[in-house]
Amino acid sequence: MGRGAVGPPSRYSRRVVANVDRLRQAKGLTVGELLSRAGMTKSYYQSRAGFSLPYNTNDIEALAAALGVSPEEVANPESAPRIEMRVPASPLAERVRRLVDSQAVSESDLMDHLDEVDPAAAESARALLAAVTNTVVLDEEVLRLITQWADVPTEYLTDYTDDAVTDRTEAELELRDAMREAGASSIQFRALGEMSPDALRAIARSLRSRPPAT
């Protein structure tokens, strides 16, 4: 049986790519030096670092040898002091802005909140929103702090390829918008329980179809 399309990079794949970056920098190597030691071409490496294709086990072994570490250290980003992920900048920044809109605040309000909690996280978030590159490396803690602030599942940012989480969260955000437009002063999403995304959207449509309050 043939293998299907690779699809979007998983959370683990993004962590491994970021882990390679972290280990390379810790060893004081340039990308060119790493590729020379690992016997990889620039185009081959970029297709993996840019998420067009995943690293295979031979790649992990070659990178580990080039970095002077074990394959397990390359393939196990959970062992890093902090968990970093290389992520596509544009779609993730779009989600962060969607969360800002859902709170009816500005990006600066989010940055002020992050500055109070962790100034390094705020700088990382600013870099994401201002990114002009295709991908960026982020500490996963930044994404957790943003989703905590917005009262949505952490996976909406950390595991954005999960269609079920995306659909559920965006339905909740749609309902949040509709409730605000209807004049609701407080929204407790966790009280909605296990209502389906379709049910949440139906409630949002119902709220928006009501005549404005007089």
Side-chain angles (χ1 to χ4, degrees):
M1 180 181 293
R3 182 180 179 183
V6 173
S10 68
R11 184 180 187 181
Y12 171 73
S13 294
R14 286 179 275 125
R15 284 177 168 179
V16 169
V17 169
N19 200 36
V20 171
D21 282 348
R22 180 185 68 82
L23 292 169
R24 175 185 63 77
Q25 293 173 23
K27 296 292 182 178
L29 298 175
T30 66
V31 171
E33 289 169 337
L34 175 64
L35 299 186
S36 177
R37 292 186 179 190
M40 290 183 181
T41 65
K42 184 177 180 180
S43 61
Y44 185 93
Y45 171 81
Q46 288 180 337
S47 68
R48 274 69 187 170
F51 306 125
S52 296
L53 292 168
Y55 285 124
N56 60 39
T57 52
N58 289 334
D59 297 332
I60 295 298
E61 288 185 340
L63 289 167
L67 291 164
V69 299
S70 69
E72 290 76 16
E73 188 171 350
V74 174
N76 184 20
E78 298 286 357
S79 65
R82 300 191 71 163
I83 299 172
E84 294 186 325
M85 310 166 74
R86 179 172 288 278
V87 298
S90 180
L92 196 61
E94 182 178 346
R95 289 199 176 198
V96 172
R97 291 190 174 98
R98 176 70 182 94
L99 294 178
V100 169
D101 289 343
S102 76
Q103 297 293 309
V105 297
S106 67
E107 290 179 15
S108 62
D109 291 311
L110 169 60
M111 297 308 149
D112 288 345
H113 169 77
L114 293 176
D115 270 322
E116 292 179 0
V117 177
D118 184 347
E123 284 304 308
S124 187
R126 289 187 183 97
L128 168 64
L129 294 176
V132 294
T133 54
N134 290 332
T135 64
V136 294
V137 174
L138 292 177
D139 187 327
E140 192 174 47
E141 178 67 5
V142 178
L143 305 181
R144 187 190 69 79
L145 289 173
I146 293 173
T147 54
Q148 185 180 57
W149 168 80
D151 187 27
V152 297
T154 301
E155 291 78 12
Y156 183 64
L157 295 183
T158 62
D159 200 12
Y160 58 88
T161 58
D162 188 322
D163 291 340
V165 170
T166 295
D167 191 35
R168 166 75 186 193
T169 303
E170 292 185 350
E172 289 187 354
L173 295 176
E174 185 177 336
L175 177 57
R176 176 180 295 181
D177 293 342
M179 292 182 73
R180 182 178 296 108
E181 292 164 12
S185 59
S186 178
I187 302 169
Q188 297 272 339
F189 275 123
R190 302 290 75 83
L192 295 174
E194 296 301 317
M195 293 180 68
S196 71
D198 286 345
L200 296 174
R201 290 189 172 98
I203 296 172
R205 288 193 298 270
S206 176
L207 288 170
R208 286 185 166 128
S209 67
R210 293 180 179 179
T214 58

